[in-house]
Amino acid sequence: MRRRSRTPGAPLAQRDGIDPVRVRLPADPDGSWATVGDHLRDRFEGAIGAERVGAMLREGRFVGAEGALSGAEAYRAGMFVWFHRDFAPEVPVPFEIGIVYRDERIVIADKPHFLATTPRGRHITETAVARLRRDLSLPALQPAHRLDRLTAGLVLFVVRPEDRGTYQNLFSGRRVRKEYEAVAPYDPGVGLPATVRSRIVKERGVIAAREEAGEPNAESRIELAERRGGLGRYRLMPVTGRTHQLRVHMNRLGLPILHDPVYPVVLPEAGSDDFAEPLQLLARVMEFSDPVDGRARRFESGLRLEAWGSGSRPTPPRPFPKDPGAPPQTPFAPQGRSSSNAGRADMPNADQHQGF
């Protein structure tokens, strides 16, 4: 059997916590490109223009395994090229990331509302993974799963590349139990607890997901934890991990989550952020059996939903006594709760930062 050649490591360091883009030159049976520069201009002309590509070549921004490329190099299929894209200005998310737990393999972070987990679209440097790589000096850090940008709470990051697949499999195999908390209207006519099953479809480029007829692909358990006037505090336990699943299922029950700019209707300002009114949805608890050492793990967010508290903003994580049976923690930021238990799963993800 032919062994696949190993992809060479990037010759460029990260910039602002973001890896360089890697391009592999494709086969060219028709001889369309005499030089590397010819291909790069054709490839990226539509995104940034041929003149900008030429300027980047003159500035030494495109790099091969042996150093900066001028563009005059003979075209060679299979050659790797790296570069850093130009980052557009981003609005800073004015909330810190809390560190609930950290050891040599994983970091459990308390992601604030409005902060994307990984680079995608217009959110590149203002993302949880980019911030944590910079703040913790962990350039290889990667998330094992995804948490929606507008949702706050627990995200598991993996420190070493060789461990990432092991922890990702926990989520894809539904061996992580997650519990969310939401604030939404209270309706005595809605029978709870309830298990909601439906078929959810999310199309790329369309803000809202939709439900359609067919075999269910999403399941959520929804319970009323507490009532206060016209509002309820709800405990949400997803069995599956479809995009916007909990928001869609709460809306299906006639209980749209407070400050949701998409459900039941997409608001005109849904593409912008109002930091004073975060979506009242929190990934509060995460439980699993550690796939490396077999220990039962349980982590609890230190954040609180402002609509159920006294403040006007998400409360930062509060210090909590360390589990005496846990391995040493590094006291980076205020820590949430960390202890022990085991369970099911949620949603896998990969870094989506590609090209221009």
Side-chain angles (χ1 to χ4, degrees):
M1 182 190 296
R2 186 176 179 182
R3 185 174 296 177
R4 291 185 63 183
S5 59
R6 177 180 250 177
T7 303
L12 291 174
Q14 288 178 350
R15 195 178 84 198
D16 293 330
I18 301 298
D19 290 324
V21 177
R22 186 187 72 226
V23 171
R24 187 173 188 177
L25 304 189
D28 182 24
D30 299 328
S32 302
W33 305 298
T35 67
V36 172
D38 291 340
H39 173 75
L40 294 176
R41 289 184 183 88
D42 277 0
R43 185 169 188 149
F44 297 120
E45 180 178 13
I48 61 172
E51 289 187 7
R52 182 59 188 145
V53 175
M56 291 176 67
L57 284 166
R58 290 190 296 274
E59 295 164 5
R61 296 273 300 276
F62 290 100
V63 176
E66 298 178 357
L69 301 171
S70 68
E73 295 82 3
Y75 186 85
R76 178 166 53 86
M79 176 182 175
F80 287 100
V81 176
W82 291 265
F83 66 94
H84 279 292
R85 61 180 287 186
D86 294 320
F87 300 141
E90 298 179 44
V91 177
V93 176
F95 308 119
E96 297 299 318
I97 303 176
I99 303 300
V100 174
Y101 176 82
R102 177 182 176 183
D103 63 24
E104 72 279 5
R105 292 192 303 272
I106 62 173
V107 172
I108 305 294
D110 237 346
K111 185 188 80 65
H113 296 281
F114 304 105
L115 191 67
T117 305
T118 58
R120 186 175 185 180
R122 58 192 174 93
H123 305 285
I124 305 298
T125 58
E126 274 296 297
T127 56
V129 68
R131 275 200 196 176
L132 289 172
R133 284 171 174 175
R134 299 190 301 260
D135 295 347
L136 305 185
S137 299
L138 294 173
L141 194 72
Q142 288 280 10
H145 63 114
R146 180 183 63 82
L147 185 63
D148 188 64
R149 189 178 71 85
L150 296 184
T151 304
L154 300 176
V155 182
L156 188 154
F157 291 85
V158 185
V159 175
R160 302 181 300 210
E162 60 268 29
D163 292 330
R164 188 182 183 201
T166 301
Y167 285 96
Q168 279 185 322
N169 288 340
L170 280 177
F171 292 86
S172 62
R174 300 184 185 178
R175 299 195 304 277
V176 176
R177 178 185 175 274
K178 279 191 167 187
E179 182 180 308
Y180 290 71
E181 184 175 274
V183 177
Y186 170 73
D187 183 347
V190 177
L192 295 176
T195 297
V196 182
R197 298 182 183 91
S198 69
R199 182 169 187 81
I200 296 177
V201 176
K202 177 70 168 66
E203 296 178 2
R204 190 173 182 86
V206 178
I207 293 178
R210 71 176 191 276
E211 292 179 292
E212 62 178 30
E215 183 72 21
N217 61 5
E219 179 178 335
S220 308
R221 175 74 174 176
I222 298 174
E223 301 174 356
L224 176 66
E226 190 177 356
R227 174 195 170 189
R228 188 181 295 168
L231 292 177
R233 182 173 65 86
Y234 296 88
R235 185 180 302 112
L236 317 177
M237 288 153 286
V239 177
T240 54
R242 311 302 296 186
T243 300
H244 294 184
Q245 174 178 317
L246 295 175
R247 296 161 68 182
V248 170
H249 281 173
M250 286 291 285
N251 185 59
R252 179 186 178 90
L253 293 175
L255 305 171
I257 297 174
L258 204 62
H259 304 326
D260 194 328
V262 176
Y263 307 97
V265 295
V266 179
L267 301 179
E269 62 273 18
S272 59
D273 293 328
D274 182 353
F275 294 129
E277 291 194 339
L279 175 72
Q280 294 301 281
L281 180 60
L282 172 68
R284 196 176 68 85
V285 175
M286 180 187 296
E287 298 177 347
F288 58 91
S289 179
D290 194 292
V292 176
D293 60 20
R295 295 183 64 233
R297 303 276 199 174
R298 185 181 193 278
F299 303 102
E300 184 174 339
S301 172
L303 295 171
R304 298 294 178 265
L305 294 174
E306 58 90 13
W308 208 256
S310 58
S312 60
R313 295 291 169 87
T315 306
R318 301 182 179 120
F320 191 82
K322 190 182 85 172
D323 175 9
Q329 293 186 168
T330 303
F332 263 92
Q335 296 173 352
R337 301 189 178 194
S338 164
S339 61
S340 301
N341 217 319
R344 275 180 335 213
D346 201 323
M347 22 176 41
N349 181 54
D351 193 314
Q352 313 234 3
H353 170 61
Q354 294 275 345
F356 286 101

Coordinates of all heavy atoms in Angstrom, one line a residue, residues 201-239:
V201 N -33.0 21.8 9.5 CA -32.1 22.0 8.3 C -31.6 23.4 8.4 O -32.3 24.4 8.7 CB -32.9 21.8 7.0 CG1 -32.0 22.2 5.8 CG2 -33.5 20.4 6.9
K202 N -30.3 23.5 8.3 CA -29.6 24.8 8.3 C -28.8 25.0 7.0 O -27.9 24.2 6.8 CB -28.7 24.9 9.5 CG -27.9 26.2 9.6 CD -28.7 27.4 9.9 CE -27.9 28.7 10.3 NZ -27.1 29.2 9.2
E203 N -29.2 25.9 6.2 CA -28.5 26.2 4.9 C -27.5 27.2 5.1 O -27.6 28.2 5.8 CB -29.5 26.6 3.9 CG -30.6 25.6 3.5 CD -31.6 26.1 2.5 OE1 -31.5 27.3 2.1 OE2 -32.5 25.4 2.2
R204 N -26.3 27.0 4.4 CA -25.2 27.9 4.5 C -25.6 29.3 3.9 O -26.3 29.3 2.8 CB -24.0 27.4 3.7 CG -22.7 28.2 3.9 CD -21.6 27.5 3.3 NE -20.3 28.2 3.5 CZ -19.5 28.0 4.5 NH1 -19.9 27.2 5.5 NH2 -18.4 28.7 4.6
G205 N -25.3 30.3 4.6 CA -25.7 31.7 4.1 C -27.1 32.1 4.6 O -27.4 33.3 4.4
V206 N -27.9 31.3 5.2 CA -29.2 31.6 5.7 C -29.1 31.7 7.2 O -28.6 30.7 7.8 CB -30.3 30.6 5.3 CG1 -31.6 31.0 5.8 CG2 -30.3 30.5 3.7
I207 N -29.5 32.8 7.8 CA -29.3 33.0 9.2 C -30.1 32.0 10.1 O -29.5 31.4 11.0 CB -29.7 34.4 9.6 CG1 -28.7 35.4 9.0 CG2 -29.7 34.6 11.2 CD1 -29.1 36.9 9.3
A208 N -31.3 31.8 9.8 CA -32.2 30.9 10.6 C -32.2 29.5 10.1 O -32.3 29.2 8.9 CB -33.6 31.5 10.6
A209 N -32.2 28.5 11.0 CA -32.5 27.1 10.6 C -34.0 27.0 10.5 O -34.8 27.8 11.0 CB -31.9 26.2 11.7
R210 N -34.4 25.9 9.9 CA -35.8 25.6 9.8 C -36.1 24.2 10.1 O -35.3 23.3 10.0 CB -36.3 26.0 8.4 CG -35.9 25.1 7.3 CD -36.5 25.4 5.9 NE -36.2 24.4 4.9 CZ -35.1 24.3 4.2 NH1 -34.2 25.1 4.4 NH2 -35.0 23.3 3.4
E211 N -37.4 23.9 10.5 CA -37.8 22.5 10.7 C -38.6 22.1 9.5 O -39.3 22.9 8.9 CB -38.7 22.4 11.9 CG -37.9 22.7 13.2 CD -38.8 22.6 14.4 OE1 -39.6 23.5 14.6 OE2 -38.6 21.7 15.2
E212 N -38.4 20.8 9.1 CA -39.2 20.3 7.9 C -39.6 18.9 8.2 O -39.1 18.3 9.2 CB -38.4 20.4 6.7 CG -37.1 19.5 6.7 CD -36.3 19.6 5.4 OE1 -36.4 20.6 4.7 OE2 -35.7 18.6 5.1
A213 N -40.6 18.4 7.4 CA -41.1 17.1 7.6 C -40.0 16.1 7.3 O -39.1 16.3 6.5 CB -42.3 16.8 6.7
G214 N -40.0 14.9 7.9 CA -39.0 13.9 7.7 C -38.5 13.3 8.9 O -39.0 13.6 10.1
E215 N -37.6 12.3 8.8 CA -37.0 11.7 9.9 C -36.3 12.7 10.9 O -35.5 13.5 10.4 CB -36.0 10.6 9.4 CG -35.3 9.8 10.5 CD -36.3 8.8 11.1 OE1 -37.3 8.4 10.4 OE2 -36.0 8.3 12.2
P216 N -36.7 12.7 12.2 CA -36.1 13.6 13.1 C -34.5 13.4 13.2 O -34.1 12.3 13.2 CB -36.7 13.3 14.4 CG -38.0 12.6 14.1 CD -37.8 11.9 12.8
N217 N -33.8 14.5 13.2 CA -32.4 14.5 13.3 C -31.9 15.3 14.6 O -30.7 15.5 14.8 CB -31.7 15.0 12.1 CG -32.0 16.4 11.7 OD1 -32.7 17.1 12.5 ND2 -31.5 16.9 10.6
A218 N -32.9 15.8 15.3 CA -32.6 16.6 16.5 C -33.5 16.2 17.7 O -34.7 16.0 17.5 CB -32.7 18.1 16.2
E219 N -32.9 16.1 18.8 CA -33.7 15.8 20.0 C -33.2 16.6 21.2 O -32.0 16.6 21.5 CB -33.6 14.3 20.3 CG -34.4 13.8 21.5 CD -34.3 12.3 21.8 OE1 -34.1 11.6 20.8 OE2 -34.5 11.9 22.9
S220 N -34.2 17.1 22.0 CA -33.8 17.9 23.2 C -34.8 17.6 24.3 O -36.0 17.5 24.1 CB -33.9 19.4 22.9 OG -33.1 19.8 21.7
R221 N -34.3 17.6 25.5 CA -35.1 17.4 26.7 C -35.2 18.8 27.4 O -34.2 19.4 27.6 CB -34.5 16.4 27.7 CG -35.2 16.3 29.0 CD -36.4 15.5 28.9 NE -37.0 15.3 30.3 CZ -38.2 14.7 30.4 NH1 -38.9 14.3 29.4 NH2 -38.7 14.5 31.7
I222 N -36.4 19.3 27.6 CA -36.6 20.6 28.1 C -37.4 20.6 29.4 O -38.5 19.9 29.5 CB -37.3 21.5 27.1 CG1 -36.4 21.6 25.9 CG2 -37.6 22.9 27.7 CD1 -37.1 22.3 24.7
E223 N -36.9 21.2 30.5 CA -37.6 21.2 31.8 C -37.7 22.6 32.3 O -36.8 23.4 32.1 CB -36.8 20.3 32.8 CG -36.6 18.9 32.4 CD -35.7 18.1 33.3 OE1 -35.1 18.8 34.3 OE2 -35.5 16.9 33.1
L224 N -38.7 22.9 33.1 CA -38.8 24.2 33.8 C -38.1 24.0 35.1 O -38.5 23.2 36.0 CB -40.3 24.6 33.9 CG -40.5 25.9 34.7 CD1 -40.0 27.1 34.0 CD2 -42.0 26.0 35.0
A225 N -37.1 24.8 35.4 CA -36.4 24.8 36.6 C -36.9 25.7 37.7 O -36.9 25.4 38.9 CB -34.9 25.1 36.4
E226 N -37.4 26.9 37.2 CA -37.9 27.9 38.1 C -38.8 28.9 37.4 O -38.5 29.1 36.2 CB -36.7 28.6 38.7 CG -36.9 29.5 39.9 CD -35.6 30.1 40.5 OE1 -34.5 29.7 40.0 OE2 -35.7 30.9 41.3
R227 N -39.7 29.5 38.1 CA -40.6 30.5 37.5 C -40.4 31.8 38.3 O -40.4 31.8 39.5 CB -42.0 30.0 37.5 CG -43.0 31.1 37.0 CD -44.4 30.7 37.3 NE -45.3 31.9 37.0 CZ -46.6 31.9 37.4 NH1 -47.1 30.9 38.0 NH2 -47.3 33.0 37.1
R228 N -40.4 32.9 37.6 CA -40.4 34.2 38.3 C -41.2 35.2 37.5 O -40.8 35.7 36.4 CB -39.0 34.7 38.4 CG -38.8 36.0 39.3 CD -37.3 36.4 39.3 NE -36.5 35.4 40.0 CZ -35.2 35.4 39.9 NH1 -34.5 36.4 39.3 NH2 -34.5 34.5 40.6
G229 N -42.5 35.5 37.9 CA -43.3 36.3 37.1 C -43.6 35.7 35.7 O -44.0 34.6 35.6
G230 N -43.4 36.6 34.7 CA -43.7 36.1 33.4 C -42.5 35.4 32.7 O -42.6 35.1 31.5
L231 N -41.4 35.1 33.5 CA -40.3 34.5 32.9 C -40.0 33.1 33.6 O -40.4 32.9 34.7 CB -39.0 35.3 33.1 CG -38.9 36.6 32.3 CD1 -37.6 37.4 32.7 CD2 -39.0 36.4 30.8
G232 N -39.4 32.2 32.8 CA -39.0 30.9 33.4 C -37.6 30.7 33.2 O -37.0 31.2 32.2
R233 N -37.0 30.0 34.1 CA -35.6 29.5 33.9 C -35.7 28.0 33.5 O -36.2 27.2 34.3 CB -34.7 29.7 35.2 CG -33.3 29.3 35.0 CD -32.5 29.7 36.2 NE -32.9 29.0 37.4 CZ -32.4 27.8 37.8 NH1 -31.5 27.2 37.0 NH2 -32.9 27.2 38.9
Y234 N -35.1 27.7 32.4 CA -35.3 26.3 31.8 C -34.0 25.6 31.8 O -32.9 26.2 31.6 CB -35.8 26.4 30.4 CG -37.2 27.1 30.4 CD1 -37.4 28.4 30.3 CD2 -38.4 26.3 30.5 CE1 -38.7 29.0 30.2 CE2 -39.6 26.8 30.4 CZ -39.8 28.2 30.3 OH -41.0 28.8 30.3
R235 N -34.1 24.3 32.0 CA -32.9 23.4 31.9 C -33.1 22.6 30.6 O -34.1 21.9 30.3 CB -32.9 22.4 33.1 CG -31.7 21.5 33.1 CD -31.8 20.6 34.3 NE -31.9 21.3 35.6 CZ -32.9 21.3 36.4 NH1 -34.0 20.7 36.1 NH2 -32.9 22.0 37.5
L236 N -32.1 22.7 29.7 CA -32.1 22.1 28.4 C -31.0 21.1 28.2 O -29.9 21.4 28.5 CB -32.0 23.2 27.3 CG -32.7 24.5 27.5 CD1 -32.4 25.5 26.4 CD2 -34.2 24.3 27.6
M237 N -31.4 19.9 27.8 CA -30.4 18.8 27.6 C -30.5 18.3 26.2 O -31.4 17.5 25.9 CB -30.7 17.7 28.7 CG -30.3 18.2 30.1 SD -31.2 17.4 31.4 CE -32.8 18.2 31.3
P238 N -29.6 18.7 25.3 CA -29.6 18.2 23.9 C -29.1 16.8 23.9 O -28.1 16.4 24.5 CB -28.7 19.2 23.2 CG -27.7 19.6 24.3 CD -28.5 19.6 25.6
V239 N -29.7 15.9 23.1 CA -29.2 14.6 22.8 C -28.4 14.6 21.5 O -27.4 13.9 21.4 CB -30.4 13.6 22.6 CG1 -29.9 12.2 22.3 CG2 -31.2 13.5 23.9

